[in-house]
């Protein structure tokens, strides 16, 4: 315990350089450890270090060492412990991660790392999904549409898919956000959105009428990755938008002068 308290004092009095060195050491020695191993390492007060880490990340959200901070937080969130997850969310951690994703000052790699942490939080269960959705899931939908890298878009897509499972309170909100994303300009994003919609639509008893027009417009896409997911049209023939869909398809058969 004396060793841990000494480490916490060093953190409290250290500048950014000292703290970054401490985080590198922490990552080297603790990555992949379980909750019980972390508690042993920190003499049952690992939460004190997590709280300091969360506060520093929130205060200096766009600093040089943000990527390092996110990876260190990831060690705690991946430790299979509801305790660390709840402490992090109660301390405003989810909102901080969403701010990082949505802010123009954030680096693309930091946004991707923040998204990976949000996936970890979401996968922990319904109460965490609801906490995330209370803090504007639209941020993630917008990021999927505007991101510049395939990796970031795929992580954002995985996050939205995670949120759509076992989350009945916000399922409709996620569904409508995905429909709105169908009109984005990125073919990769369109492919991922179609994939998410196919997975989600199968769980729903009805289809939103707003899905038909953008879906039919995608038939004009020249991108193979989009065409490969267009089978959503076949899925929708079992829903109440069947007539609207058929009318639209017939209209597309008419030649344009």
């Amino acid at each position: 315990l004396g060793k841990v308290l000494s480490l916490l004092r060093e953190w409290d009095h250290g500048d950014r350089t000292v703290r970054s060195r401490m985080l590198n050491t922490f990552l080297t020695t603790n990555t992949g450890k379980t909750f019980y191993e972390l508690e042993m390492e920190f003499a049952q007060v690992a939460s004190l270090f997590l709280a300091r880490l969360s506060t520093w990340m929130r205060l200096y959200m766009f600093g040089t060492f943000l990527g390092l901070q996110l990876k260190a937080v990831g060690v705690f969130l991946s430790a299979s412990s509801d305790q660390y997850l709840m402490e992090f969310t109660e301390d405003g951690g989810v909102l901080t991660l969403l701010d990082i994703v949505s802010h123009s000052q954030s680096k693309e790699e930091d946004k991707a790392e923040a998204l990976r942490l949000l996936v970890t939080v979401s996968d922990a269960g319904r109460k965490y999904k609801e906490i995330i959705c209370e803090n504007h899931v639209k941020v993630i939908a917008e990021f999927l549409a505007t991101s510049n890298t395939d990796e970031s878009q795929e992580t954002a897509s995985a996050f939205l898919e995670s949120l759509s499972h076992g989350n009945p309170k916000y399922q409709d909100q996620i569904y409508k956000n995905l429909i709105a994303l169908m009109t984005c300009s990125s073919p990769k994003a369109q492919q991922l959105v179609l994939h998410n919609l196919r997975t989600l639509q199968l769980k729903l008893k009805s289809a939103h009428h707003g899905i038909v027009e953008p879906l039919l417009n995608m038939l004009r896409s020249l991108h193979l990755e989009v065409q490969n997911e267009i089978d959503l049209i076949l899925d929708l023939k079992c829903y109440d938008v069947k007539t609207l869909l058929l009318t639209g398809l017939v209209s597309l058969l008419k030649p344009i002068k």
Side-chain angles (χ1 to χ4, degrees), residues 62-257:
F62 311 111
T64 310
F65 304 108
L66 179 57
L68 204 56
Q69 294 166 323
L70 289 166
K71 287 175 183 173
V73 168
V75 171
F76 285 100
L77 299 189
S78 302
S80 304
S81 166
D82 194 61
Q83 179 179 321
Y84 294 152
L85 281 163
M86 186 53 71
E87 287 171 357
F88 181 72
T89 52
E90 287 177 349
D91 201 29
V94 165
L95 197 54
T96 300
L97 294 176
L98 288 170
D99 283 343
I100 291 168
V101 171
S102 64
H103 209 286
S104 58
Q105 281 184 253
S106 302
K107 298 176 184 175
E108 192 76 15
E109 58 266 30
D110 291 339
K111 290 182 179 184
E113 188 64 39
L115 273 174
R116 281 189 280 272
L117 295 185
L118 284 166
V119 172
T120 301
V121 175
S122 175
D123 286 346
R126 177 175 171 176
K127 66 180 178 181
Y128 295 106
K129 296 178 197 289
E130 291 183 352
I131 289 170
I132 293 168
C133 290
E134 285 167 6
N135 290 297
H136 313 300
V137 72
K138 190 177 179 182
V139 167
I140 308 303
E142 290 173 351
F143 178 72
L144 174 56
T146 58
S147 176
N148 299 320
T149 68
D150 287 356
E151 182 189 3
S152 295
Q153 288 180 319
E154 286 167 3
T155 307
S157 173
F159 179 44
L160 288 170
E161 187 163 351
S162 173
L163 286 177
S164 70
H165 294 308
N167 188 14
K169 185 176 178 181
Y170 290 98
Q171 193 175 61
D172 194 50
Q173 177 189 343
I174 297 164
Y175 180 52
K176 289 176 180 176
N177 271 302
L178 287 169
I179 290 174
L181 275 177
M182 294 171 76
T183 58
C184 70
S185 58
S186 165
K188 178 66 176 179
Q190 287 180 333
Q191 176 203 3
L192 294 168
V193 167
L194 284 170
H195 177 78
N196 284 355
L197 274 171
R198 288 195 72 188
T199 305
L200 181 53
Q201 187 66 66
L202 293 172
K203 302 175 190 174
L204 302 175
K205 294 180 180 178
S206 63
H208 194 284
H209 283 205
I211 199 173
V212 175
E213 185 178 350
L215 181 58
L216 292 177
N217 286 335
M218 284 184 177
L219 286 171
R220 296 187 173 96
S221 175
L222 300 178
H223 298 277
L224 287 176
E225 64 267 37
V226 177
Q227 293 295 337
N228 288 338
E229 295 290 345
I230 211 72
D231 282 353
L232 176 59
I233 289 177
L234 298 178
D235 298 338
L236 290 175
K237 69 182 181 182
C238 303
Y239 291 86
D240 48 352
V241 295
K242 176 173 59 177
T243 304
L244 191 62
L245 192 63
L246 183 58
T247 304
L249 286 168
V250 170
S251 296
L252 287 175
L253 290 172
K254 296 176 183 177
I256 300 172
K257 293 182 182 178

Side-chain angles (χ1 to χ4, degrees), residues 26 30-48 50 74-88:
F26 172 79
N30 296 290
T31 297
K33 284 189 175 179
T34 65
F35 168 76
Y36 299 103
E37 288 170 331
L38 286 171
E39 286 298 296
M40 287 285 288
E41 179 74 20
F42 283 86
Q44 314 302 320
V45 292
S47 294
L48 296 179
L50 174 59
V75 171
F76 285 100
L77 299 189
S78 302
S80 304
S81 166
D82 194 61
Q83 179 179 321
Y84 294 152
L85 281 163
M86 186 53 71
E87 287 171 357
F88 181 72

